[in-house]
Each structure stands twice: as C-alpha cells, then as structure tokens.
Amino acid sequence: MTSQNLADGNEAGTILGHPKGLFVLFFAEMWERFSYYGMRALLVFYLTKHFLLSDQQSGWIYGAYTSLVYITPLLGGYVADRYLGQRKAVLFGGILIAVGHIVLGVEGDGGQDAFALNAFWTALAFIIVGTGFLKANISAIVGQLYPRDDTRRDPAYTLFYMGINVGGLLGPLICGILGETVGWSYGFGAAAVGMVAGVIVFAWGKPLLLGRGEPPEPAYLAGKVGGFVPREWIIYLAALASVPVVWWLVQSHDAVGTLLLLSSAVVVVYLVWESFTRMDRIERDRMFAVLFLVSLNPLFWGLFEQAGSSLSLYTDRHVDRFFFGVLVPASVFQSINSLFIILMAPLIAGLWIKLGRRGIEPSTPAKFGLALIQLGLGFLLLVAGALAVGTGNPTPVIFIFGIYFLHTTAELCLSPVGLSAMSKLAPARMAGLVMGVWFLATAAGDFIAGLIAAGIGVASANAQDKVMATLAVYEWVGGLSIGVGVFVLIVAPFIRRLMHVEHRDDTPVTVAAELVPQPIDSLPDRRG
Ligand code: GLN
C-alpha cells in the first residue's frame, strides 16, 4: 500500500468517493447536534414554563450557555493537540454530553425547586465541558482524513455540515414536540438517546478513522504521574473538576462576557507570538489569514443568531403563521434553516465545482464577503416586505422564508468553508486549537447576538410601533453587514495571497511535503 493510498483513505474503501471515516464522523456529529439542537429548542421554554424564570433571566442563561458551549472547544482543541489526540477527546466529550442529557431528566415538581434547579445547572455544565472536548476536535478529524491539497476537502466539510443539519432539523422536531407535549424529561431523554447513539457510532468506527487524531505522544500520555495515575486520567479528572466551575459560570452572564474578552485576547497574543517564534513565513502568513477570517465570525454569528431570539419573537408576534387555517407554532420555524441547508448544500457545493472548472470560483475570503452581503440582504428583504404591507399588518410569512433562505446561502458560504479553511491553514500540530479559535469567535457572536436581542427587546418595550422598533435595528445591521462584506471582497485578493494557494480553489502552493499528512509520531515535539 502506498503512502498516497493511506492519505486518501483508499485502503479502507470509499463511499461517494470519500473515505468511510467521513461517514463515521458524519453520524457521530449528526447525533451530537440532534441532542444539542433538540435540547436548545426546549431550553427557553423549560426555563420560563417549568422553572418559572423571567424572560430576561432566561435570555441571559441562554446566552451564557450557548457562548460557553463554543468557548470550551478552545481548551478541548488545545488539550487534544498536545496530549490526548482528537479521537480520545471526542469519545470522552460524547460521554460527558450524554451524562448531561441524562441528568436533565431530573425535573422536580416545577418552580424554583432548589434540588432540581441545581441538577439542571450540573447537567448544563456537563454538556458544556463535553462539547469542549468534542466539537472542535470532531471537525478537525474530518480534515485529517485528506491530504492538505485534496480537492475533496471542501465537499467533505459540506457533507459533514449536512450531517450537522440533519441533527439540527430532527432534534427540535422530535425532542421539542416530545418535551412540550408529552413531558420535559421525554424530550431531554430523546436527546440523551441521540448522544449515546453518537458515542456508539464513533467508538465502533475507530478503524475507519485510519489512525487519524491519535495522541501525538502515546508514551507520554500513558506515563504515570507520581508513579500512580496515568496522565490521560489526570486530564479526565481535571475535566470533571472543571464541572463545578462551569456550573457557576453558566449562571453568571457578566462573567461569561469577561471570560470571552480575556480568552480572545490571550488567543490572539498566543497565536501571534507562536507565529513569530515557531513558524516559517508560509505558516505565519496562513496564521494571519486564519485571524482575518475568524475576526468576521462575531459579526456574522451575532446577526445570524437572531434566529433563535429576536427573529423568533418577531415571527411569534408579528407574522401571519396560518397555513390552510392551521396556526403553526413559532418554534417550528427554527427548523427552516437546517432544512434549507440540507436542500441547498449540494447545490452550492456543485456551484463551486462548476465555477472552479471555469477558473472563477471565489476564494475563501471572497466567499466570506459574499456571506456577509447575503446576510445583510436577508435582513433588508424582511424589512422591505414588512414595510410594504405596513407595520400595522402581519408580515407575510414568505418574507420569513426569504430571510432564512438568504441566511442559509450566507451560512453555506461561510461556515463549512471556514471549517475547511481552518483545517487547511493550521499547522498539523495546531489543528484542534485553531478549530477551537474558530468556535471561540462563534461564541463571541452568540454573546453579541444576546446583547442585540436584549437591545431589541428593550427598544420595542418602550416603542409605540413595536414592529418598527425591531425593523429599524434589522435595517441598520443589514446595512452594516453589507458594508463589511463589500470591504472583505475588496481585500480578499490580499488575504488569499496570505493563504499561499495556487489555484482559485485554494490549493496550497507548497505541495510536495504537505501532500501526505505526516505520521503523527514524526511531528515535531512542541511541548515545553
Ligand atoms: N450550525 C453549525 C453547527 O451547529 C454552526 C454553528 C456555529 O458555528 N455557530 O455546528
């Protein structure tokens, strides 16, 4: 067997031209997202209707939770790169998440029952720490199945992204309906079943991962500290010890904001320092391209994530939701994004291939610019539609479909493309960390989304014309997003140069050495 075969994953056979390992990752992440989005769909209702918390308290908890879920992958990515390897990290994370969903089954009798509420915080803390180990690392293994310049990498991430969204579509429908109609613990129970299924698929599929994502130094990891406890177990114990800290954090909205600022500052300083002290010029340029792309995440997700908050409230209160005489619950509209992703992802992937053949496929940074422009246009479309019928009348539902459609095509230009770019631009020894940085910027977006939604809430509470209060903010952020998108398009050629790519499909120039991923044990020792 040649090393090229190994790099292609051909020795284990392929499905749809991709290594079988991709589908192990697809199903594991599908179930993880099923549990995440299923639980997320119930969360706000559980807080307000079961624990009887106020809208504002619930909003802050929701913001703190979703931010923390995307902050912890930074640490999880770092620990995996240096010690655990991505595969073990994903397995451990999946188990913690499953434990979290099972603990969520402790309902109590409703109201502010202290025991049930504390069990609830504990469950969220398990899910947050578990996601820290899982999310960035499973995304990094996808890229490791391919040589750096393999043209199947972008399509692989698109497929993986469809797995995410099959979970994102089914989770809210199954867990949401079970939780709201049969009983909360049935909804959370379904999420737990999903995550257990994900762990089983992942453990079963180990041979198909072709040895990717294994610990960089297995002997060091197995070494016993004080001649007693293996280092690997120290990591697991430290993770368990962090659960009480996260238990506190998730209840402390302001602390999460501070943590975000601090960790972003530390990360930027660390990456810049690392790139000047330990990287050659090409690696350093690529790291700056990473920082540029990542810096667009807070704006993108801050606006995109209005979907679960202010846009859902707008849909609930100001949109005509009757279909053939039946009133459709507002929460169901949250599945539209995932549905559109599943329908549109293959078309957009096909479009890139077609444009690529003609040599006019937009570069990665240009796709980011296009994403921001479409995101802004989505908001402006809703504003125009609502104003056309007048703010005194319900907004026709077609404009909600319209904004979700444009936000979905925007997401497809940014999110899977960004994952692929991170895996391509990061030095192999930093694959998990860089993926963690990507999600940290997403966390900042989630936090900003919470602030914008809260601002809209306050503005419309005080306004005469409540519809207009929301629309005015949407119009402003829509224009901002388009403006930044145009700027990104203008600077895209410079950023592309930093990526050191040869073709428009962003294939790196420096192929020979990087074509075949190095065996893990030949990677330079970066410890110390
Ligand atoms: N919807 C995608 C996922 O769940 C992207 C989320 C994000 O990066 N904020 O993985």
Side-chain angles (χ1 to χ4, degrees):
M1 179 196 316
T2 66
S3 57
Q4 184 60 57
N5 268 344
L6 186 74
D8 290 347
N10 283 345
E11 78 285 10
T14 57
I15 300 176
L16 298 174
H18 288 272
K20 286 181 182 164
L22 177 65
F23 297 91
V24 172
L25 302 171
F26 177 103
F27 282 107
E29 178 62 342
M30 181 189 94
W31 284 116
E32 187 268 328
R33 291 285 100 180
F34 172 92
S35 74
Y36 175 74
Y37 285 111
M39 180 272 192
R40 194 180 94 148
L42 284 174
L43 185 59
V44 161
F45 300 117
Y46 193 53
L47 290 168
T48 51
K49 296 184 186 177
H50 182 70
F51 287 128
L52 307 179
L53 297 174
S54 73
D55 279 13
Q56 191 198 34
Q57 282 173 311
S58 309
W60 279 3
I61 292 162
Y62 181 86
Y65 169 69
T66 51
S67 300
L68 282 169
V69 154
Y70 288 119
I71 295 176
T72 49
L74 185 70
L75 272 180
Y78 182 78
V79 168
D81 286 347
R82 279 173 85 104
Y83 307 111
L84 265 189
Q86 284 81 14
R87 187 189 59 79
K88 281 174 187 281
V90 168
L91 199 56
F92 178 61
I95 293 169
L96 290 188
I97 296 173
V99 169
H101 285 306
I102 291 167
V103 176
L104 272 179
V106 180
E107 267 183 38
D109 298 327
Q112 310 278 320
D113 168 355
F115 176 75
L117 205 49
N118 281 324
F120 174 72
W121 302 127
T122 309
L124 292 193
F126 268 100
I127 297 172
I128 290 165
V129 176
T131 311
F133 277 90
L134 188 143
K135 184 73 171 135
N137 290 317
I138 197 166
S139 311
I141 306 178
V142 173
Q144 292 174 12
L145 293 174
Y146 302 85
R148 195 188 278 265
D149 74 335
D150 195 319
T151 51
R152 294 173 303 169
R153 182 185 291 255
D154 269 10
Y157 273 102
T158 304
L159 270 167
F160 180 70
Y161 213 73
M162 286 178 74
I164 287 176
N165 283 282
V166 174
L169 173 68
L170 296 179
L173 289 179
I174 295 176
C175 304
I177 290 173
L178 274 178
E180 283 213 85
T181 57
V182 184
W184 300 112
S185 51
Y186 287 88
F188 295 130
V193 170
M195 194 58 248
V196 170
V199 169
I200 292 171
V201 168
F202 190 76
W204 165 84
K206 180 185 169 191
L208 298 175
L209 299 179
L210 311 169
R212 301 295 192 270
E214 290 303 324
E217 293 173 68
Y220 180 79
L221 187 67
K224 297 198 168 123
V225 177
F228 188 55
V229 191
R231 277 196 187 86
E232 182 173 351
W233 282 93
I234 300 276
I235 294 174
Y236 298 147
L237 291 173
L240 289 177
S242 73
V243 169
V245 179
V246 178
W247 176 92
W248 172 77
L249 268 175
V250 73
Q251 303 173 54
S252 326
H253 180 260
D254 290 348
V256 173
T258 312
L259 183 68
L260 260 176
L261 283 177
L262 276 180
S263 42
S264 308
V266 168
V267 155
V268 171
V269 170
Y270 174 74
L271 289 182
V272 171
W273 174 79
E274 180 84 15
S275 55
F276 280 109
T277 56
R278 296 184 175 203
M279 292 182 191
D280 60 26
R281 192 179 61 83
I282 290 184
E283 280 187 336
R284 180 162 54 246
D285 282 355
R286 287 187 178 144
M287 198 46 66
F288 282 109
V290 162
L291 285 175
F292 177 84
L293 295 174
V294 156
S295 72
L296 300 171
N297 257 354
L299 174 66
F300 184 86
W301 295 106
L303 303 189
F304 180 93
E305 288 287 337
Q306 295 308 306
S309 48
S310 72
L311 187 56
S312 276
L313 291 178
Y314 186 92
T315 308
D316 193 35
R317 295 169 187 166
H318 310 304
V319 171
D320 178 4
R321 292 181 283 113
F322 279 98
F323 281 83
F324 304 107
V326 179
L327 184 67
V328 177
S331 56
V332 169
F333 287 79
Q334 285 195 39
S335 295
I336 297 178
N337 169 237
S338 283
L339 183 66
F340 276 154
I341 291 265
I342 295 163
L343 297 175
M344 298 294 299
L347 297 181
I348 300 260
L351 178 71
W352 298 148
I353 291 173
K354 244 190 193 153
L355 293 178
R357 283 203 194 111
R358 294 183 184 185
I360 49 171
E361 181 184 0
S363 65
T364 297
K367 285 177 185 168
F368 274 52
L370 293 173
L372 286 167
I373 291 172
Q374 291 168 86
L375 186 74
L377 286 177
F379 282 113
L380 296 190
L381 176 73
L382 176 64
V383 173
L387 292 183
V389 295
T391 54
N393 300 312
T395 304
V397 76
I398 184 78
F399 295 108
I400 295 297
F401 279 93
I403 183 173
Y404 276 121
F405 181 81
L406 282 169
H407 283 193
T408 302
T409 52
E411 182 183 350
L412 283 169
C413 286
L414 181 134
S415 195
V417 177
L419 292 177
S420 175
M422 295 306 113
S423 86
K424 187 155 47 180
L425 295 173
R429 64 182 185 279
M430 296 171 74
L433 174 72
V434 168
M435 210 51 105
V437 172
W438 171 263
F439 286 114
L440 176 69
T442 295
D446 277 295
F447 196 78
I448 291 170
L451 297 181
I452 295 177
I456 289 177
V458 173
S460 55
N462 298 327
Q464 282 281 357
D465 186 342
K466 301 197 183 308
V467 177
M468 202 54 222
T470 305
L471 295 180
V473 178
Y474 282 1
E475 188 173 4
W476 196 85
V477 296
L480 175 74
S481 189
I482 292 173
V484 176
V486 169
F487 168 76
V488 173
L489 277 184
I490 293 170
V491 299
F494 302 103
I495 306 301
R496 194 173 146 265
R497 223 166 287 153
L498 289 181
M499 294 170 69
H500 293 277
V501 291
E502 190 170 17
H503 308 297
R504 294 210 70 87
D505 67 351
D506 292 350
T507 306
V509 188
T510 49
V511 273
E514 290 166 302
L515 196 64
V516 181
Q518 299 172 42
I520 296 292
D521 54 7
S522 76
L523 293 176
D525 180 6
R526 293 281 159 188
R527 199 164 11 85

